[in-house]
């Protein structure tokens, strides 16, 4: 029964530097890798990772545990996915040796992405991450800054928003007070951080591909999404026009007026988009769950109730035929109408809902 000390190399530093076919197994083989990889790139973190794997193996053997060291590395770029290549190597080691557990040695956070692959095949008794100590002087700081500037992703993420902010500072100070300029700068930097932190950049990057797929597939949702976007713009403009004459000191009234004017348009946009998705699934003969069928009615009910509450706050005149309603009566009518629409939507969705064939058989 043997414990495997596994050094992970997801960025294929070992295969690139030595040309060997992984996995590399055995004390002497891994020891020779230290020289080969170190001569190719003395600054590589993989060198320290290999040395740590050798040290862990020595300590385990000294404590009476039968341990062997191996290096698993991704194949050269373009051959196969790194995770799949490492998974195949772990399977090969498990088949060739009587392995019971493994101690994983990593050098970077990118290597740690392989941990689920290892854990799905062997029992992981420990994870040893190598952290290289650096001299904290001016020369090392300059070197790290130079490496930072060489990283394209970091440059676009950090330096571009910072540069735009610095360019806007003179313009803001020229036209506005220092307080407004500082607020605008903070808002810009905050927006850039949220844009990256929430993954909005990835969604925006996929948007052209998704739009192209919708256009070529002929889905109804393409038209409904465009219509919903137009209704949303009209609603926002309508709300802005409604609050223009109101003083900013009456913040609750301003918010209520904005929502009262824009809620019909925004409700129509939400209902249109939800209906488009529903029609796409219906045309494709896909299962129609109750939640999706009842979504348009639910959105419409929320819009009706929101319109009623904002109208109550603004005391907008409302009549039914020749009968005038007081604000509280009008609110009750809108709430009752929204609730009725929601109940009818749920009832209709329950009657029309379909389930996948395998779910029905179960």
């Amino acid at each position: 029964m043997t414990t495997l000390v596994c050094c992970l190399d997801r960025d294929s530093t070992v295969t690139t530097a030595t040309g060997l076919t992984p996995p590399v197994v055995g004390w002497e083989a891994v020891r020779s890798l230290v020289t080969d990889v170190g001569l190719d790139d003395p600054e590589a973190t993989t060198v320290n990772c290999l040395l740590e794997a050798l040290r862990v193996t020595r300590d385990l053997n000294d404590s009476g545990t039968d341990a062997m060291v191996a290096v698993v590395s991704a194949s050269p770029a373009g051959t196969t996915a790194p995770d799949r290549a490492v998974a195949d190597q772990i399977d090969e080691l498990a088949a060739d040796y009587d392995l019971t557990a493994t101690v994983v040695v990593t050098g970077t956070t990118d290597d740690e992405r392989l941990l689920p692959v290892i854990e799905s095949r062997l029992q992981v008794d420990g994870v040893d991450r190598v952290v290289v100590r650096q001299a904290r002087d001016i020369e090392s700081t300059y070197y790290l800054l130079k490496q930072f500037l060489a990283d394209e992703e970091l440059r676009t993420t950090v330096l571009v928003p910072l540069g735009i902010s610095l360019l806007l500072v003179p313009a803001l100070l020229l036209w506005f007070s220092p307080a407004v300029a500082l607020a605008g700068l903070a808002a810009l930097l905050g927006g850039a951080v949220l844009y990256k932190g929430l993954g909005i950049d990835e969604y925006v990057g996929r948007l052209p591909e998704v739009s192209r797929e919708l256009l070529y597939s002929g889905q109804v949702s393409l038209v409904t999404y465009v219509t919903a976007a137009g209704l949303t713009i009209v609603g926002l403009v309508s709300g802005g026009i409604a609050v223009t004459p109101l003083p900013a000191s009456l913040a609750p009234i301003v918010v209520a007026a904005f929502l009262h004017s824009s809620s019909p348009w925004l409700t129509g946009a939400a209902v249109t988009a939800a209906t488009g998705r529903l029609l796409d699934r219906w045309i494709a003969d896909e299962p129609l769950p109750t939640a999706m069928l009842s979504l348009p009615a639910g959105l419409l009910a929320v819009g009706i109730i929101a319109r009623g509450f904002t109208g109550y706050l603004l005391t907008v005149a409302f009549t039914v035929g020749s009968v005038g309603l007081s604000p509280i009566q009008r609110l009750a009518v809108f709430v009752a109408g929204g609730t009725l629409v929601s109940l009818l939507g749920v009832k209709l969705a329950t009657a029309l809902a379909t389930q996948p064939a395998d779910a029905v058989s179960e």
Side-chain angles (χ1 to χ4, degrees), residues 37-48:
V37 176
L39 289 174
D40 183 75
D41 185 6
E43 299 174 349
T45 310
T46 308
V47 176
N48 301 91

Side-chain angles (χ1 to χ4, degrees), residues 202-212:
E202 298 179 1
Y203 175 78
V204 173
R206 293 196 305 267
L207 191 59
E209 181 181 355
V210 173
S211 302
R212 186 164 52 251

Side-chain angles (χ1 to χ4, degrees), residues 82-332:
D83 297 359
R84 183 65 260 175
V86 170
D88 293 340
Q89 294 168 39
I90 295 296
D91 291 336
E92 178 183 344
L93 291 173
D96 294 342
Y97 303 93
D98 187 15
L99 302 178
T100 58
T102 180
V103 176
V104 179
V105 181
T106 66
T108 63
T109 54
D110 191 48
D111 293 338
E112 293 180 4
R113 295 172 57 184
L114 295 170
L115 286 177
V117 177
I118 309 298
E119 292 173 340
S120 65
R121 288 161 171 81
L122 291 174
Q123 175 184 330
V124 177
D125 284 350
V127 178
D128 187 355
R129 182 179 180 187
V130 179
V131 179
V132 181
R133 292 188 293 271
Q134 297 285 351
R136 299 183 180 180
D137 52 15
I138 297 178
E139 183 179 357
S140 295
T141 303
Y142 169 77
Y143 178 73
L144 292 176
L145 180 61
K146 185 177 179 181
Q147 285 187 322
F148 169 78
L149 294 176
D151 192 316
E152 182 178 357
E153 183 177 359
L154 288 176
R155 288 202 313 268
T156 56
T157 303
V158 178
L159 297 183
V160 171
L162 183 59
I164 294 175
S165 301
L166 294 176
L167 289 175
L168 288 178
V169 167
L172 293 174
L173 290 175
L174 181 63
W175 294 100
F176 303 101
S177 64
V180 174
L182 181 61
L185 179 61
L188 177 62
L189 292 177
V193 172
L194 289 177
Y195 180 79
K196 188 67 178 179
L198 296 177
I200 300 177
D201 57 332
E202 298 179 1
Y203 175 78
V204 173
R206 293 196 305 267
L207 191 59
E209 181 181 355
V210 173
S211 302
R212 186 164 52 251
E213 291 178 357
L214 289 175
L215 183 63
Y216 291 156
S217 62
Q219 294 182 353
V220 178
S221 57
L222 175 63
V223 178
T224 58
Y225 287 162
V226 174
T227 305
L231 292 173
T232 301
I233 295 174
V234 173
L236 296 177
V237 173
S238 175
I241 294 175
V243 302
T244 300
L246 297 177
S249 58
L250 301 176
I253 302 301
V254 171
V255 174
F258 179 86
L259 293 177
H260 186 79
S261 179
S262 62
S263 59
W265 300 98
L266 298 180
T267 302
V271 172
T272 301
T275 304
R277 288 190 59 193
L278 188 62
L279 290 175
D280 280 341
R281 293 181 68 100
W282 179 68
I283 292 173
D285 199 21
E286 296 180 0
L288 300 176
T290 304
M292 179 171 288
L293 286 169
S294 61
L295 181 59
L299 294 172
L300 180 59
V302 170
I304 293 174
I305 295 175
R307 176 81 172 182
F309 275 101
T310 55
Y312 174 77
L313 294 175
L314 299 173
T315 62
V316 178
F318 182 77
T319 60
V320 178
S322 60
V323 180
L325 299 178
S326 65
I328 191 64
Q329 291 173 333
R330 181 180 63 251
L331 177 60

